[in-house]
């Protein structure tokens, strides 16, 4: 009887310890997740559009991540592959993004990207003048 109580207590203590360690590991992994991770698939000069280059990317947006207000020097075309989020442009109502939603962002349109509760994955094509950054922060 005492042995059974001891084993039950030991099992409970080990379970609690593993739960605490597991929670710390998961929290550390979540904290290290990049809010906006861009994976470059293709970067190329655009024939017939001298001085312009295309950047084709997969953009992974962490749950609830906010890009901060910014603009792009050239147009951006985006397609939501999975998850959800919104595109919030100045002077316009927020545009919800869900799988299958396509979006055109005009050059220099100030906006903010917001990840939904489970995050979001986008395919994005940036057409940028050579030598310009992809994103310009706005205060």
């Amino acid at each position: 009887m005492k042995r059974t109580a001891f084993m039950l207590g030991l099992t409970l203590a080990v379970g609690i310890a593993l739960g605490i360690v597991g929670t710390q590991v998961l929290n550390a992994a979540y904290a290290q997740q990049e809010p906006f991770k861009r994976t470059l698939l293709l970067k190329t000069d655009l024939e017939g559009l001298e001085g312009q280059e295309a950047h084709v990317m997969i953009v992974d947006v962490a749950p609830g991540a906010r890009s901060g207000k910014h603009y792009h020097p050239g147009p951006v075309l985006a397609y939501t592959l999975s998850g959800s989020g919104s595109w919030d442009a100045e002077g316009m109502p927020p545009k919800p993004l869900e799988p299958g939603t396509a979006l055109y962002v005009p050059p220099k349109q100030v906006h903010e990207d917001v990840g939904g509760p489970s995050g979001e994955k986008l395919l994005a094509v940036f057409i940028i003048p050579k030598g310009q950054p992809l994103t310009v922060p706005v205060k």
Side-chain angles (χ1 to χ4, degrees), residues 13 38-39 49 56 69 72 84 86 97 100-101 105 128 135:
R38 292 180 177 155
T39 304
L49 294 174
V56 180
K69 290 185 178 188
H72 307 285
S84 67
S86 70
L97 302 176
T101 303
V105 181
I128 304 294
T135 302

Side-chain angles (χ1 to χ4, degrees), residues 29-38 58-68 84 113-116 118-122:
Y30 181 75
Q32 291 175 353
Q33 184 178 9
E34 292 179 58
F36 287 79
K37 178 184 171 201
R38 292 180 177 155
I58 295 292
V59 181
D60 291 291
V61 183
R66 300 184 77 89
S67 65
S84 67
D113 304 300
V114 181
S118 63
E120 181 180 19
K121 184 180 287 248
L122 303 162

